[in-house]
Amino acid sequence: MPELVFFSGTMDCGKSTLALQIAHNRAARGLQSVIFTRDDRAGEGKLSSRLGLVTEAVEATPELDLYHFVVERLSRGGKVDYVLVDEAQFLLTGQIDQLARIVDDLNLDVFAFGITTDFRTRLFPGSQRLIELADRVEALQVEAMCWCGARATHNARTVDGEMVVEGEQVVVGDVGMAAEIVGYEVLCRRHHRRRMTSATAQAGALSPDVLPVTSG
Ligand SMILES: [Zn+2]
C-alpha cells in the first residue's frame, strides 16, 4: 500500500541527508524518483545536504502542480517509482493535497521531508497540511542538539546576532537582507523561550552582569 510519509524535524537534523540516502538506496535497486524541493541552499533545482552531497531536483514553485507534473512524466513514458520532497514546509497547502493525490491515484509512495515549526514556534502551513494528510509522521532519529546539550526541538532566527521572534515566516538564511544578517540556530524549548543562543550564552558566561555588546 503506497503511503504519504512526513519525515519531520528541526533544522540540522539531517533531513536532506536522509532524503539523499533514500534516493541512493532505491536507485541501487533500479527505482527512479521525481525529487521536488523548494529554496534549497544550493539553489533552484537542487537537493543538497550539509554533508556536501547534491542531486538534481525539480523546483516546486507555487505555480507548479506536483500531481500533474508526475502524470505528465508518466504519460511521456518516463519511469517514476516514488516521489521525494525536501523542504516540504515551504510548499503550499494545495501542493500537499497534490502529493496525497499522487499516493492515492497513481499508487506511488511519497516521502516528504520538512521542518515542522518556524522560528516563532508556529507550524508552517505546508507542514500543518502534511500532519493532517500523512499516513505516517516520522520524527527523525538524528536529533539536533542545543548548545546546552539538550535535544534541540525549536528553530531560532537571529538578525545581526540577536534572536528575534517576529518577522516574515520565510527568510532564507545566510542572506543579507537590507544590510541585516539573518541566521538560524536550533535550540531546546527552554533556551528558545529565554532567547538564549550559543552566542548570547557565551557572552553571558564571560560577563554575567553585562549584556552582550555588539560592534560593527
Ligand atoms: Zn538548551
Side-chain angles (χ1 to χ4, degrees):
M1 202 67 162
E3 285 185 313
L4 173 58
V5 186
F6 180 31
F7 292 93
S8 70
T10 55
M11 298 183 310
D12 293 341
C13 73
K15 288 182 305 299
S16 301
T17 304
L18 180 58
L20 285 162
Q21 186 70 47
I22 286 179
H24 173 82
N25 291 355
R26 293 185 155 226
R29 302 250 177 206
L31 296 174
Q32 288 182 20
S33 60
V34 169
I35 301 176
F36 294 110
T37 189
R38 180 78 197 278
D39 293 338
D40 187 274
R41 65 185 78 81
E44 275 197 11
K46 301 270 189 230
L47 166 55
S48 72
S49 84
R50 283 176 202 277
L51 300 187
L53 303 167
V54 62
T55 191
E56 294 301 311
V58 178
E59 186 74 13
T61 59
E63 302 76 35
L64 186 70
D65 184 317
L66 309 185
Y67 173 79
H68 282 116
F69 182 94
V70 174
V71 166
E72 232 170 75
R73 180 165 291 192
L74 289 167
S75 66
R76 288 200 317 260
K79 184 166 158 18
V80 182
D81 298 299
Y82 66 102
V83 172
L84 273 179
V85 187
D86 197 30
E87 310 289 0
Q89 74 275 2
F90 293 148
L91 298 192
L92 303 178
T93 55
Q95 290 176 313
I96 304 300
D97 284 71
Q98 291 156 16
L99 294 178
R101 199 171 166 208
I102 291 170
V103 176
D104 296 339
D105 294 359
L106 305 179
N107 286 314
L108 299 176
D109 282 318
V110 175
F111 305 117
F113 295 80
I115 297 167
T116 43
T117 54
D118 66 16
F119 71 104
R120 304 166 304 187
T121 72
R122 306 291 178 191
L123 284 168
F124 284 98
S127 303
Q128 180 183 341
R129 194 68 185 134
L130 271 164
I131 290 166
E132 290 164 352
L133 289 182
D135 296 289
R136 277 193 292 137
V137 178
E138 300 275 347
L140 286 181
Q141 296 301 307
V142 181
E143 287 169 354
M145 277 172 74
C146 178
W147 56 266
C148 71
R151 187 176 164 217
T153 49
H154 288 68
N155 300 301
R157 176 186 293 172
T158 57
V159 176
D160 293 338
E162 292 290 319
M163 182 173 157
V164 296
V165 291
E166 283 172 13
E168 293 290 311
Q169 186 169 48
V170 178
V171 175
V172 176
D174 308 327
V175 174
M177 188 184 68
E180 291 178 328
I181 303 299
V182 176
Y184 289 93
E185 180 174 345
V186 289
L187 298 173
C188 66
R189 189 191 56 232
R190 177 182 309 239
H191 288 126
H192 193 281
R193 290 188 57 230
R194 293 178 184 170
R195 302 196 194 180
M196 282 180 74
T197 64
S198 57
T200 54
Q202 209 169 26
L206 291 174
S207 51
D209 301 320
V210 183
L211 282 171
V213 178
T214 51
S215 59

